[in-house]
Amino acid sequence: MRCATVILVACLLLATGVQAGAALWTHSMPSGITDLSLSRDGSYVLAGGERVCLLAGNGTPLWQQWVGAHAACSADAGRIVIANGQLLTLVDRDGALVWRQELASACTRLGVSADGKCIVVADRFGKVYFYNGDGKLRATADTRGKPGDGAAAFSEIRSVAVSEKGEYAAVASSRGVFYYTGTGRKVWSHADVLEGATSVAVSASGNEVAAGSDANVRLFDRAGKVLWTYRCHRPVTSLAISGDGSRVAFGTQDGTLTCLDREGEAVWTFSAGDWIRDLAFSSDGSLLLAGSMGKQAYLFDGAGGVIGTCALSGPVNHVALTPDGKVGVAATSREVAGVPMMAAAPAATPTVTSTATPTATSTPTSTTTPTATSTPTNATAQLPAGIIDLPLLAAGILACGVLSGAGYFYRQRRRTAPVPTAKEEPAVVVKTEDEPLPPDDEVPTAATTEIGPLPAVEVDPSAPWRASIIEGRLREAARILSREMFALIRERTGARVLRTADALAACPAFREDLARFFVDADRLAYGPDDPAEEEIEALEAAYLRLAGEIR
């Protein structure tokens, strides 16, 4: 079904005149890409990973050296900050070493201001370190709770964002949202309001802070007041705020991309059919670049119209856009690409759909009631107007039908395949309604002439993930192990477990081990790199160990 949806969207784009264009240029990396940065004028592209690489704006490699799990650059790319393990390094545009500092513990998140003089480093223990441009440690902040809080004191930092001039820094952790000055002084925190924060973004001035979680997106002002709350049906997978704070965009696990205005009202929505992994706004919010697991980078105008798309070789995990919206780049796990940019034509106001999407809950900020805007909520982004090519549209719909039918019969055949056991039982079905569909490469194409009988696999009912491992469906195996852990905790504790935070709260004695298990399971199930069988077996071993200890 996912493959069919992608083909239908592609045909619609072609039929309405939006071309699924090729990348302007591509550059292959020898190792996984973990970060992507773009200079303000688009002249330089920085890719972090096992080998940090600086490219010219046309994709020409300038140098490739240093090792950095995290990397970011200043607006002019004159200061490049690289974090790898317990080493924090600053190099210049030529790759020459400026200074190096040893960290107290390994870096897990990194943020850098536009001038490169405010550097924020987070570690896996919930601590945040503030450095100046000379490599001097200004302050250390701790996002953990009080020691007497027990398991509730645990804090896993998941996102860091720095305002343009480095005056403010926001941190999202498993305990909530924390806001600091660029020198490390705490301004406010909302550990009690937004438990389980997954992402955070800051406007250029630092006056607006957007934060996403498993259940909602919130906007705070600089003083920490909640301006509005927008409730989500599924966890947030990506988040961005425009430089002027006028737009907030986020993707959720159901593949929906939503854009909100300053008042928290939905301006438009778009269904990509796959997770949106990263987002980048132009400074005024008139352009939005989105990267999806469906191997597509999408370019939207301010009204949600799709201006263009760019196909890449794998899931698009990172995107970057210059403030003026003239240059955009995207990256898979192994490739960096220049995204074709098109001038944004004025788009018609999106039509209101009947889909019920919760509206934002606004917190009054003064005695004056804000004037209602005329922008419709729950608007679904429409593709740019044009003459529809009916034959092409019909071909797309036909292709979808063929692929859907092939997928249906394929799955039915798999479900009814005989399993040689002592007692004849139906094959174990491991997919649930709440789980994302398997990757496209696991669904047969319409060109398959006949689906032959699958080799019989002996399945242990107590270990339903084993069938997926044996048949090479490793992401699916990770999802099953995660689901089984939730079920085990519910059974053993009797607690109501709907999300990771519930599972950790139900088993305080195993909080850190469970947190590590769920982080690994999510990475293996939904991460940019395909998991190795050894990693899934290690996850299985962790599950079996915890299953034997949790009572």
Side-chain angles (χ1 to χ4, degrees), residues 35-111:
D35 274 319
L36 184 68
S37 300
L38 185 62
S39 64
R40 186 185 298 274
D41 62 359
S43 298
Y44 299 95
V45 182
L46 178 71
E50 189 174 328
R51 276 288 177 266
V52 179
C53 181
L54 184 68
L55 308 172
N58 61 2
T60 302
L62 301 177
W63 52 259
Q64 184 171 288
Q65 55 185 328
W66 304 103
V67 177
H70 303 278
C73 66
S74 59
D76 62 357
R79 303 172 69 85
I80 297 172
V81 183
I82 302 169
N84 187 61
Q86 293 182 235
L87 288 178
L88 183 66
T89 305
L90 180 73
V91 302
D92 62 20
R93 191 182 295 141
D94 297 322
L97 178 66
V98 178
W99 54 256
R100 171 173 283 177
Q101 294 289 344
E102 185 171 353
L103 304 172
S105 57
C107 170
T108 58
R109 295 292 183 269
L110 176 67

Side-chain angles (χ1 to χ4, degrees), residues 240-265:
I241 188 170
S242 60
D244 61 3
S246 64
R247 291 286 186 270
V248 174
F250 64 94
T252 51
Q253 283 187 359
D254 59 0
T256 300
L257 173 60
T258 304
C259 183
L260 309 176
D261 62 17
R262 197 184 295 272
E263 285 73 38
E265 300 291 338

Side-chain angles (χ1 to χ4, degrees), residues 433-447:
E433 291 299 324
D434 294 333
E435 293 175 2
L437 291 173
D440 293 344
D441 56 6
E442 293 183 17
V443 181
T445 64

